[in-house]
Amino acid sequence: MTVSAPTFDLVVAANRLPVDRVVDDEGTSTWRRSPGGLVTAMEPVMQGREAAWVGWAGETSENGQDLEPFTVDGIFLRPVGLSPKELEEYYEGFSNDTLWPIYHDVIVQATFHRDWWNTYRMVNQRFAEAIAEVAAPGGTVWIHDYQLQLCPAMLRAIRPDVRIGWFNHIPFPPVELFAQLPWRRALVEGLLGADFLGFQRTADAGNFLRVCRRLLGMATKADTVTFTPPGDDTTARRTVRASAIPISVDFRGIDALSRTPEVLARAAEIRASLGDPKVLMLGVDRLDYTKGIRHRLKAYEELLQDKMIAPPEVTLMQVATPSRERVDAYRQLREEIEGTVGRINGEYSAIGSPAVYYLYHSYPRNEMAAMFLAADVMLVTPLRDGMNLVAKEYVTCRHDLGGALVLSEFAGAWHELHQAFICNPHDIEGVKQTILRAINTPVDERQRRMKALRKRVATHDVQRWASRYLEALASAPFRPHRPTRASDMERRGAERANRANQRRSDNASEEVGD
Ligand code: ADQ
């Protein structure tokens, strides 16, 4: 007898499960929740609901067979297995060497391989089947990111009863770039299996709708697209809504962490160990060519060259998180960055005061918070970035209203964080001037800016993002009904009238008495 898997009202699907395997000294292995932002975002909406998460567990197996489902911190986890070849072709290949460059302005050339595409399709199908297995009848499924763009339509084919949402964490490219993809139609049709498509910026949703209209000849109206799914008769038209719901950070959690005595002490310790510089600048990025690390280093090097700044009074700490080390472009980038850091240090460091402190590591959350608190100027200079959570985390940690954020206008975060010191990372002269401005702006003006930035993130945190997304998904293709100020006043007026009526009729019955 086969035991059918349990099913859940809410299913989240992402390339990775939110856990890592840890093996202790005795060789016993357990699963530990990974510290990623998506888990934090999902936690409040998953708690108190029957919820499951479908994703890859982070280790390959020879034939790509699935591990048995397991539960961590109350979330049912349904692993999807990948073989080494599948990981190489679906994840490193098609996701990160084809889609990633196309979706980030082709900063490096994209690679097209038909084999990669076939594996991408196969793996998406496997995800769709795993989701179908654990989704309750009429349940809600929230699929994440560019690795799973075919999944919505594949899932709908198996389970037309469920409500399907997809959220893109990275930008969606302009039609001219998307058009390069030999599999462009299949990708769009894959996405259109969803009821609601969420994007970081209105411009990304607009790009998607333009692709539907211009490239595929579909009808779009406001933020919706109406089309006939392939293979269906022409009467089976569907309307899908595509709109921006920008992601954020756990403001309350990070703010509380950054106020703890341990983090405050550690921030002071970091500064002291760097020789208490007058100005500590900080960069924190995954080592990715989209993050503009080279441009930032170039601007910094020129400022040193021009003698506008000098260590030890001004210094830069660059934290780079290891990333996609098996993809060529990432290996090359690492060599280039480390070469540049070596050159700058050779030229401008003195004994005991390096010009750049370069750290190629991952750090726990409290250490990150301490670094943010220690930094006088935070440099966030991507050439293209869906959102950039580092920018939001930095302002969240600055409850002291200290620090200054230098932010690229090509980060999604720029659309919300207008009080940052804005720069165009391609304009090296402009970046240099912006850095100097961030250093030299009077304290009260910097505090005013930081206060405004914090207010924005505090009122638009990740919990709000998740609940807004689910509301939009529930009411798609229509916008969720939110009481407007006028309708709210009308409702309150009606409630007052009702209460008055009630009182009158209560009094009346008292008067009549019996
Ligand atoms: P990423 O490209 O990974 O995310 P980002 O938004 O900056 O970029 O998130 C990085 C996360 O990793 C942050 O939470 C940061 O604190 C953390 N991190 C960075 N370096 C670290 C280190 N050395 N040690 C520990 N933690 C580190 C993608 C998109 C973004 C989008 C997010 C979320 O590319 O544009 O903002 O998804 O949607």
Side-chain angles (χ1 to χ4, degrees):
M1 193 182 83
T2 53
V3 181
S4 57
T7 62
F8 300 85
D9 289 338
L10 175 65
V11 179
V12 170
N15 173 60
R16 273 293 262 117
L17 283 176
V19 288
D20 296 309
R21 192 196 283 277
V22 278
V23 183
D24 67 16
D25 294 343
E26 274 97 60
T28 317
S29 91
T30 47
W31 293 99
R32 192 187 48 201
R33 233 182 59 173
S34 44
L38 197 53
V39 208
T40 318
M42 292 297 127
E43 210 167 32
V45 287
M46 292 180 98
Q47 261 167 15
R49 294 178 71 153
E50 293 288 295
W53 191 307
V54 175
W56 178 54
E59 32 191 71
T60 55
S61 58
E62 209 35 60
N63 307 312
Q65 66 271 46
D66 300 340
L67 294 171
E68 283 301 312
F70 54 98
T71 300
V72 172
D73 292 348
I75 303 176
F76 181 88
L77 303 174
R78 163 66 168 87
V80 174
L82 291 178
S83 70
K85 181 167 176 281
E86 284 164 347
L87 181 69
E88 195 184 316
E89 299 190 346
Y90 142 78
Y91 180 70
E92 289 160 357
F94 197 78
S95 297
N96 289 332
D97 210 3
T98 307
L99 294 173
W100 183 270
I102 294 277
Y103 284 38
H104 288 89
D105 288 358
V106 197
I107 298 164
V108 307
Q109 278 302 314
T111 311
F112 299 134
H113 278 308
R114 279 163 280 184
D115 290 350
W116 291 359
W117 164 249
N118 286 334
T119 308
Y120 182 82
R121 250 192 356 212
M122 240 164 55
V123 172
N124 268 253
Q125 182 65 38
R126 197 174 305 156
F127 266 83
E129 284 162 17
I131 300 167
E133 183 188 298
V134 295
T140 296
V141 176
W142 185 354
I143 301 169
H144 289 265
D145 234 357
Y146 61 105
Q147 301 94 348
L148 300 177
Q149 292 182 80
L150 302 179
C151 216
M154 288 171 166
L155 176 61
R156 181 168 296 281
I158 322 173
R159 290 289 305 274
D161 60 298
V162 294
R163 191 144 266 270
I164 305 171
W166 177 81
F167 182 80
N168 199 28
H169 290 259
I170 66 173
F172 196 89
V175 68
E176 293 77 10
L177 292 181
F178 189 80
Q180 290 185 18
L181 286 164
W183 310 280
R184 59 202 192 184
R185 175 176 283 274
L187 284 165
V188 173
E189 286 172 353
L191 290 176
L192 289 174
D195 295 287
F196 177 68
L197 300 167
F199 296 87
Q200 300 277 29
R201 300 172 311 154
T202 306
D204 297 314
N207 284 346
F208 174 77
L209 291 163
R210 259 188 301 281
V211 161
C212 293
R213 190 170 63 240
R214 290 219 218 132
L215 223 51
L216 280 79
M218 293 172 175
T220 63
K221 190 174 170 201
D223 55 5
T224 60
V225 49
T226 301
F227 65 102
T228 307
D232 280 358
D233 66 72
T234 47
T235 54
R237 290 170 78 70
R238 276 183 16 87
T239 297
V240 174
R241 179 163 177 245
S243 186
I245 304 199
I247 198 168
S248 193
V249 297
D250 175 20
F251 185 89
R252 272 164 298 169
I254 299 174
D255 175 64
L257 176 69
S258 66
R259 290 173 192 267
T260 56
E262 295 75 33
V263 168
L264 291 167
R266 178 67 189 140
E269 195 177 286
I270 291 173
R271 287 190 72 93
S273 65
L274 302 181
D276 267 322
K278 230 165 82 195
V279 179
L280 172 62
M281 300 206 268
L282 175 66
V284 174
D285 314 80
R286 240 181 350 89
L287 195 54
D288 195 301
Y289 49 80
T290 58
K291 302 289 182 185
I293 307 171
R294 281 188 302 126
H295 297 64
R296 183 186 313 163
L297 289 175
K298 173 109 184 105
Y300 181 65
E301 183 174 17
E302 286 192 14
L303 285 171
L304 292 167
Q305 215 165 30
D306 302 344
K307 300 199 168 31
M308 300 301 292
I309 55 172
E313 286 79 28
V314 179
T315 190
L316 169 66
M317 183 156 89
Q318 175 63 53
V319 179
T321 323
S323 180
R324 305 175 191 170
E325 290 168 294
R326 284 160 33 132
V327 178
D328 268 350
Y330 288 77
R331 268 201 296 260
Q332 278 168 24
L333 177 74
R334 182 175 173 194
E335 274 172 28
E336 215 178 310
I337 299 290
E338 294 185 354
T340 306
V341 168
R343 197 185 60 233
I344 297 176
N345 275 337
E347 189 90 17
Y348 299 101
S349 301
I351 290 174
S353 59
V356 185
Y357 291 85
Y358 174 74
L359 305 160
Y360 185 66
H361 291 295
S362 260
Y363 291 96
R365 261 161 46 92
N366 47 357
E367 183 71 1
M368 300 286 292
M371 286 184 205
F372 290 144
L373 264 174
D376 301 294
V377 178
M378 181 81 214
L379 301 175
V380 179
T381 57
L383 308 178
R384 180 58 73 197
D385 214 336
M387 175 54 62
N388 196 294
L389 295 180
V390 169
K392 291 187 172 180
E393 287 164 0
Y394 179 66
V395 303
T396 302
C397 287
R398 300 317 301 245
H399 46 81
D400 58 349
L401 301 186
L405 174 64
V406 170
L407 179 61
S408 157
E409 61 191 83
F410 300 108
W414 174 74
H415 294 262
E416 297 177 76
L417 303 181
H418 290 294
Q419 294 83 1
F421 292 88
I422 300 300
C423 71
N424 166 5
H426 297 282
D427 170 12
I428 300 297
E429 200 48 52
V431 176
K432 288 163 63 182
Q433 294 312 317
T434 311
I435 291 176
L436 292 177
R437 226 158 36 85
I439 294 175
N440 296 322
T441 296
V443 176
D444 53 349
E445 165 66 9
R446 278 198 314 227
Q447 288 187 340
R448 192 190 59 75
R449 286 175 180 247
M450 189 53 78
K451 201 168 173 181
L453 293 170
R454 285 175 58 76
K455 187 169 172 206
R456 171 72 199 190
V457 183
T459 52
H460 292 72
D461 62 3
V462 75
Q463 287 80 4
R464 180 181 189 270
W465 169 74
S467 59
R468 285 247 161 165
Y469 185 92
L470 288 173
E471 272 175 37
L473 175 55
S475 55
F478 305 104
R479 286 162 188 235
H481 172 74
R482 267 198 215 98
T484 58
R485 201 182 265 257
S487 71
D488 217 29
M489 275 162 60
E490 225 169 72
R491 180 181 53 78
R492 277 203 295 261
E495 279 168 6
R496 261 198 310 274
N498 273 344
R499 276 198 301 272
N501 279 343
Q502 186 64 42
R503 269 197 306 273
R504 267 197 297 276
S505 74
D506 286 353
N507 290 344
S509 43
E510 273 166 27
E511 278 158 22
V512 172
D514 53 359

